[in-house]
Amino acid sequence: NGGDGLAIARLLAADHLSSEVLLVRAGKSLSSDAQSNLRFLNATEIPVVDAGPDDVAQTLRDLSSEDLVIDALLGTGIRGVVASPFDTVIRTINNCSAQVLAIDLPSGMNGDTGQPCGICVQADSTVTFVAEKTGFRTEEARQFTGPVTVCHIGLPQQWLKKWYEAAVSDRS
C-alpha cells in the first residue's frame, strides 16, 4: 500500500494540494513501485518523513475534523496479527480527529474475510481498486471501511471478465 500512498501524494501535489508523507517502514524494504514514487517525491518539495509511532502521534495530534489522513499503511498481504509498530500507528489513526480515507482496504483488515487482524483502521471511507474485496461484503467489515468507492485502474475488460468467471466457478 505504500506505493499507492506515495503516488497519491504525487497526485495531490499535481493538483496544488499540500500534503505531508509519514513513511512507516519499521525496517521493511519498499516495493519497486514504492521506491519509484519515493524517488519522485524526494526530487520535489513534498516532505517525506521516515516516521515511527511517536512521529505519527505528534503529527496527528494537531489535526482537526477538516483534515484528511490517507491510510496506505498496510495492504492486502497482511496475515496474522498486526505487529508493532503498525498496531500503535493504527491506534493513533483511530484516535485522531481527522477524517480517514483508506486506500484499497483499511490497514489491518483481512480483505478475504473482512475481519481485523488484531486491530484495524476505522476509515470514514475507502477507495478500492478494480472490485470490492470479498471481505467487504461482511457486516463487520462495514464498520471499518465506511462507504466504499471502486476505482478502475485501466485493466482491460477481458481480463476482468476472465477473473470474474474464474471466481464464480471457484465458488460453485
Side-chain angles (χ1 to χ4, degrees), residues 63-93:
L63 298 182
S64 74
S65 60
E66 294 181 14
D67 293 308
L68 179 66
V69 170
I70 297 177
D71 164 35
L73 185 66
L74 301 172
T76 57
I78 187 166
R79 298 294 178 258
V81 176
V82 174
S84 178
F86 301 105
D87 58 344
T88 303
V89 172
I90 290 172
R91 227 176 265 104
T92 301
I93 292 169

mmCIF file of all heavy atoms in Angstrom, residues 63-93:
data_model
loop_
_atom_site.group_PDB
_atom_site.id
_atom_site.type_symbol
_atom_site.label_atom_id
_atom_site.label_comp_id
_atom_site.label_asym_id
_atom_site.label_seq_id
_atom_site.Cartn_x
_atom_site.Cartn_y
_atom_site.Cartn_z
ATOM 1 N N LEU A 63 -4.309 17.596 14.175
ATOM 2 C CA LEU A 63 -5.268 17.628 13.074
ATOM 3 C C LEU A 63 -6.690 17.829 13.586
ATOM 4 O O LEU A 63 -7.029 17.441 14.699
ATOM 5 C CB LEU A 63 -5.197 16.330 12.273
ATOM 6 C CG LEU A 63 -3.865 16.024 11.595
ATOM 7 C CD1 LEU A 63 -3.965 14.724 10.798
ATOM 8 C CD2 LEU A 63 -3.402 17.165 10.710
ATOM 9 N N SER A 64 -7.515 18.427 12.729
ATOM 10 C CA SER A 64 -8.921 18.656 13.069
ATOM 11 C C SER A 64 -9.801 17.825 12.150
ATOM 12 O O SER A 64 -9.315 17.155 11.235
ATOM 13 C CB SER A 64 -9.261 20.144 12.912
ATOM 14 O OG SER A 64 -9.355 20.482 11.536
ATOM 15 N N SER A 65 -11.097 17.936 12.341
ATOM 16 C CA SER A 65 -12.041 17.181 11.523
ATOM 17 C C SER A 65 -12.061 17.678 10.072
ATOM 18 O O SER A 65 -12.651 17.034 9.214
ATOM 19 C CB SER A 65 -13.446 17.251 12.121
ATOM 20 O OG SER A 65 -13.869 18.602 12.179
ATOM 21 N N GLU A 66 -11.422 18.789 9.808
ATOM 22 C CA GLU A 66 -11.333 19.296 8.438
ATOM 23 C C GLU A 66 -10.123 18.735 7.697
ATOM 24 O O GLU A 66 -9.978 18.936 6.497
ATOM 25 C CB GLU A 66 -11.300 20.815 8.446
ATOM 26 C CG GLU A 66 -12.605 21.410 8.959
ATOM 27 C CD GLU A 66 -12.599 22.922 8.959
ATOM 28 O OE1 GLU A 66 -11.709 23.528 8.337
ATOM 29 O OE2 GLU A 66 -13.500 23.488 9.581
ATOM 30 N N ASP A 67 -9.254 18.039 8.413
ATOM 31 C CA ASP A 67 -8.068 17.439 7.805
ATOM 32 C C ASP A 67 -8.380 16.021 7.348
ATOM 33 O O ASP A 67 -9.395 15.432 7.733
ATOM 34 C CB ASP A 67 -6.912 17.419 8.811
ATOM 35 C CG ASP A 67 -6.420 18.818 9.151
ATOM 36 O OD1 ASP A 67 -6.127 19.580 8.211
ATOM 37 O OD2 ASP A 67 -6.337 19.149 10.351
ATOM 38 N N LEU A 68 -7.505 15.488 6.519
ATOM 39 C CA LEU A 68 -7.685 14.147 5.982
ATOM 40 C C LEU A 68 -6.411 13.336 6.170
ATOM 41 O O LEU A 68 -5.327 13.772 5.791
ATOM 42 C CB LEU A 68 -8.024 14.216 4.485
ATOM 43 C CG LEU A 68 -8.212 12.884 3.757
ATOM 44 C CD1 LEU A 68 -9.438 12.159 4.287
ATOM 45 C CD2 LEU A 68 -8.332 13.129 2.257
ATOM 46 N N VAL A 69 -6.570 12.168 6.759
ATOM 47 C CA VAL A 69 -5.486 11.192 6.849
ATOM 48 C C VAL A 69 -5.758 10.146 5.787
ATOM 49 O O VAL A 69 -6.851 9.593 5.724
ATOM 50 C CB VAL A 69 -5.428 10.530 8.250
ATOM 51 C CG1 VAL A 69 -4.464 9.350 8.248
ATOM 52 C CG2 VAL A 69 -5.039 11.542 9.309
ATOM 53 N N ILE A 70 -4.774 9.904 4.951
ATOM 54 C CA ILE A 70 -4.897 8.858 3.935
ATOM 55 C C ILE A 70 -4.145 7.645 4.452
ATOM 56 O O ILE A 70 -2.937 7.680 4.649
ATOM 57 C CB ILE A 70 -4.361 9.333 2.577
ATOM 58 C CG1 ILE A 70 -5.218 10.499 2.093
ATOM 59 C CG2 ILE A 70 -4.349 8.177 1.579
ATOM 60 C CD1 ILE A 70 -4.767 11.127 0.809
ATOM 61 N N ASP A 71 -4.897 6.595 4.705
ATOM 62 C CA ASP A 71 -4.342 5.345 5.243
ATOM 63 C C ASP A 71 -3.860 4.461 4.102
ATOM 64 O O ASP A 71 -4.663 3.896 3.374
ATOM 65 C CB ASP A 71 -5.414 4.622 6.077
ATOM 66 C CG ASP A 71 -5.062 3.164 6.338
ATOM 67 O OD1 ASP A 71 -3.860 2.856 6.497
ATOM 68 O OD2 ASP A 71 -5.987 2.333 6.370
ATOM 69 N N ALA A 72 -2.545 4.376 3.970
ATOM 70 C CA ALA A 72 -1.917 3.479 2.988
ATOM 71 C C ALA A 72 -0.802 2.719 3.697
ATOM 72 O O ALA A 72 0.242 2.437 3.123
ATOM 73 C CB ALA A 72 -1.396 4.276 1.799
ATOM 74 N N LEU A 73 -1.032 2.414 4.960
ATOM 75 C CA LEU A 73 -0.009 1.804 5.813
ATOM 76 C C LEU A 73 0.252 0.346 5.460
ATOM 77 O O LEU A 73 1.378 -0.053 5.186
ATOM 78 C CB LEU A 73 -0.449 1.928 7.280
ATOM 79 C CG LEU A 73 0.516 1.455 8.345
ATOM 80 C CD1 LEU A 73 1.759 2.320 8.380
ATOM 81 C CD2 LEU A 73 -0.188 1.483 9.711
ATOM 82 N N LEU A 74 -0.799 -0.470 5.466
ATOM 83 C CA LEU A 74 -0.671 -1.903 5.189
ATOM 84 C C LEU A 74 -1.632 -2.278 4.074
ATOM 85 O O LEU A 74 -2.704 -1.698 3.949
ATOM 86 C CB LEU A 74 -1.006 -2.727 6.443
ATOM 87 C CG LEU A 74 -0.158 -2.454 7.682
ATOM 88 C CD1 LEU A 74 -0.731 -3.194 8.885
ATOM 89 C CD2 LEU A 74 1.289 -2.848 7.440
ATOM 90 N N GLY A 75 -1.283 -3.297 3.310
ATOM 91 C CA GLY A 75 -2.105 -3.697 2.177
ATOM 92 C C GLY A 75 -2.741 -5.055 2.339
ATOM 93 O O GLY A 75 -2.898 -5.565 3.460
ATOM 94 N N THR A 76 -3.056 -5.661 1.226
ATOM 95 C CA THR A 76 -3.792 -6.925 1.217
ATOM 96 C C THR A 76 -2.944 -8.122 1.629
ATOM 97 O O THR A 76 -3.490 -9.186 1.884
ATOM 98 C CB THR A 76 -4.368 -7.220 -0.183
ATOM 99 O OG1 THR A 76 -3.293 -7.240 -1.129
ATOM 100 C CG2 THR A 76 -5.390 -6.183 -0.582
ATOM 101 N N GLY A 77 -1.655 -7.972 1.702
ATOM 102 C CA GLY A 77 -0.783 -9.095 2.016
ATOM 103 C C GLY A 77 -0.698 -9.454 3.487
ATOM 104 O O GLY A 77 -0.044 -10.425 3.855
ATOM 105 N N ILE A 78 -1.375 -8.715 4.342
ATOM 106 C CA ILE A 78 -1.251 -8.969 5.784
ATOM 107 C C ILE A 78 -1.857 -10.317 6.159
ATOM 108 O O ILE A 78 -2.921 -10.697 5.687
ATOM 109 C CB ILE A 78 -1.887 -7.835 6.620
ATOM 110 C CG1 ILE A 78 -1.587 -8.051 8.083
ATOM 111 C CG2 ILE A 78 -3.363 -7.714 6.362
ATOM 112 C CD1 ILE A 78 -1.872 -6.864 8.951
ATOM 113 N N ARG A 79 -1.131 -11.032 6.994
ATOM 114 C CA ARG A 79 -1.593 -12.311 7.541
ATOM 115 C C ARG A 79 -1.256 -12.319 9.022
ATOM 116 O O ARG A 79 -0.241 -11.790 9.445
ATOM 117 C CB ARG A 79 -0.899 -13.500 6.852
ATOM 118 C CG ARG A 79 -1.179 -13.609 5.365
ATOM 119 C CD ARG A 79 -2.655 -13.924 5.084
ATOM 120 N NE ARG A 79 -2.939 -13.975 3.669
ATOM 121 C CZ ARG A 79 -3.525 -12.995 2.983
ATOM 122 N NH1 ARG A 79 -3.877 -11.883 3.563
ATOM 123 N NH2 ARG A 79 -3.758 -13.138 1.695
ATOM 124 N N GLY A 80 -2.102 -12.932 9.807
ATOM 125 C CA GLY A 80 -1.862 -12.963 11.249
ATOM 126 C C GLY A 80 -2.269 -11.652 11.891
ATOM 127 O O GLY A 80 -3.076 -10.897 11.363
ATOM 128 N N VAL A 81 -1.677 -11.373 13.026
ATOM 129 C CA VAL A 81 -2.000 -10.177 13.809
ATOM 130 C C VAL A 81 -1.050 -9.038 13.434
ATOM 131 O O VAL A 81 0.135 -9.265 13.205
ATOM 132 C CB VAL A 81 -1.888 -10.503 15.322
ATOM 133 C CG1 VAL A 81 -2.122 -9.267 16.177
ATOM 134 C CG2 VAL A 81 -2.882 -11.598 15.696
ATOM 135 N N VAL A 82 -1.584 -7.819 13.356
ATOM 136 C CA VAL A 82 -0.766 -6.647 13.055
ATOM 137 C C VAL A 82 0.315 -6.512 14.127
ATOM 138 O O VAL A 82 0.027 -6.505 15.323
ATOM 139 C CB VAL A 82 -1.628 -5.365 13.012
ATOM 140 C CG1 VAL A 82 -0.754 -4.134 12.835
ATOM 141 C CG2 VAL A 82 -2.675 -5.459 11.912
ATOM 142 N N ALA A 83 1.552 -6.412 13.673
ATOM 143 C CA ALA A 83 2.704 -6.347 14.579
ATOM 144 C C ALA A 83 3.065 -4.902 14.910
ATOM 145 O O ALA A 83 2.630 -3.962 14.244
ATOM 146 C CB ALA A 83 3.899 -7.046 13.930
ATOM 147 N N SER A 84 3.891 -4.760 15.925
ATOM 148 C CA SER A 84 4.433 -3.462 16.311
ATOM 149 C C SER A 84 5.444 -3.030 15.251
ATOM 150 O O SER A 84 6.133 -3.874 14.689
ATOM 151 C CB SER A 84 5.117 -3.607 17.674
ATOM 152 O OG SER A 84 5.689 -2.393 18.071
ATOM 153 N N PRO A 85 5.549 -1.781 14.924
ATOM 154 C CA PRO A 85 4.873 -0.607 15.454
ATOM 155 C C PRO A 85 3.565 -0.274 14.744
ATOM 156 O O PRO A 85 2.922 0.714 15.053
ATOM 157 C CB PRO A 85 5.890 0.505 15.228
ATOM 158 C CG PRO A 85 6.496 0.144 13.905
ATOM 159 C CD PRO A 85 6.584 -1.378 13.938
ATOM 160 N N PHE A 86 3.175 -1.108 13.768
ATOM 161 C CA PHE A 86 1.991 -0.804 12.971
ATOM 162 C C PHE A 86 0.721 -0.780 13.820
ATOM 163 O O PHE A 86 -0.181 0.022 13.570
ATOM 164 C CB PHE A 86 1.868 -1.783 11.801
ATOM 165 C CG PHE A 86 3.071 -1.752 10.897
ATOM 166 C CD1 PHE A 86 4.004 -2.771 10.928
ATOM 167 C CD2 PHE A 86 3.292 -0.682 10.046
ATOM 168 C CE1 PHE A 86 5.119 -2.740 10.109
ATOM 169 C CE2 PHE A 86 4.411 -0.633 9.216
ATOM 170 C CZ PHE A 86 5.327 -1.659 9.254
ATOM 171 N N ASP A 87 0.642 -1.634 14.838
ATOM 172 C CA ASP A 87 -0.543 -1.630 15.702
ATOM 173 C C ASP A 87 -0.682 -0.296 16.431
ATOM 174 O O ASP A 87 -1.774 0.246 16.551
ATOM 175 C CB ASP A 87 -0.524 -2.807 16.681
ATOM 176 C CG ASP A 87 0.702 -2.849 17.582
ATOM 177 O OD1 ASP A 87 1.715 -2.159 17.300
ATOM 178 O OD2 ASP A 87 0.659 -3.591 18.582
ATOM 179 N N THR A 88 0.441 0.259 16.873
ATOM 180 C CA THR A 88 0.427 1.554 17.567
ATOM 181 C C THR A 88 0.013 2.666 16.611
ATOM 182 O O THR A 88 -0.770 3.553 16.974
ATOM 183 C CB THR A 88 1.817 1.853 18.167
ATOM 184 O OG1 THR A 88 2.162 0.780 19.044
ATOM 185 C CG2 THR A 88 1.839 3.169 18.916
ATOM 186 N N VAL A 89 0.509 2.634 15.393
ATOM 187 C CA VAL A 89 0.147 3.648 14.392
ATOM 188 C C VAL A 89 -1.346 3.565 14.086
ATOM 189 O O VAL A 89 -2.035 4.593 14.008
ATOM 190 C CB VAL A 89 1.003 3.496 13.119
ATOM 191 C CG1 VAL A 89 0.504 4.418 12.015
ATOM 192 C CG2 VAL A 89 2.472 3.763 13.426
ATOM 193 N N ILE A 90 -1.875 2.366 13.929
ATOM 194 C CA ILE A 90 -3.315 2.204 13.661
ATOM 195 C C ILE A 90 -4.130 2.756 14.831
ATOM 196 O O ILE A 90 -5.126 3.470 14.622
ATOM 197 C CB ILE A 90 -3.658 0.727 13.370
ATOM 198 C CG1 ILE A 90 -3.083 0.327 12.002
ATOM 199 C CG2 ILE A 90 -5.169 0.487 13.432
ATOM 200 C CD1 ILE A 90 -3.185 -1.151 11.687
ATOM 201 N N ARG A 91 -3.735 2.469 16.054
ATOM 202 C CA ARG A 91 -4.431 3.004 17.231
ATOM 203 C C ARG A 91 -4.432 4.533 17.191
ATOM 204 O O ARG A 91 -5.451 5.180 17.476
ATOM 205 C CB ARG A 91 -3.746 2.495 18.507
ATOM 206 C CG ARG A 91 -4.698 1.970 19.526
ATOM 207 C CD ARG A 91 -4.008 1.368 20.749
ATOM 208 N NE ARG A 91 -3.882 -0.072 20.586
ATOM 209 C CZ ARG A 91 -2.764 -0.735 20.266
ATOM 210 N NH1 ARG A 91 -1.650 -0.103 20.105
ATOM 211 N NH2 ARG A 91 -2.765 -2.031 20.134
ATOM 212 N N THR A 92 -3.308 5.118 16.815
ATOM 213 C CA THR A 92 -3.187 6.582 16.741
ATOM 214 C C THR A 92 -4.112 7.150 15.666
ATOM 215 O O THR A 92 -4.785 8.154 15.891
ATOM 216 C CB THR A 92 -1.727 6.981 16.457
ATOM 217 O OG1 THR A 92 -0.902 6.461 17.500
ATOM 218 C CG2 THR A 92 -1.568 8.481 16.387
ATOM 219 N N ILE A 93 -4.147 6.498 14.503
ATOM 220 C CA ILE A 93 -5.052 6.940 13.429
ATOM 221 C C ILE A 93 -6.500 6.880 13.918
ATOM 222 O O ILE A 93 -7.273 7.822 13.719
ATOM 223 C CB ILE A 93 -4.863 6.086 12.158
ATOM 224 C CG1 ILE A 93 -3.500 6.353 11.529
ATOM 225 C CG2 ILE A 93 -5.991 6.346 11.160
ATOM 226 C CD1 ILE A 93 -3.119 5.381 10.424
#
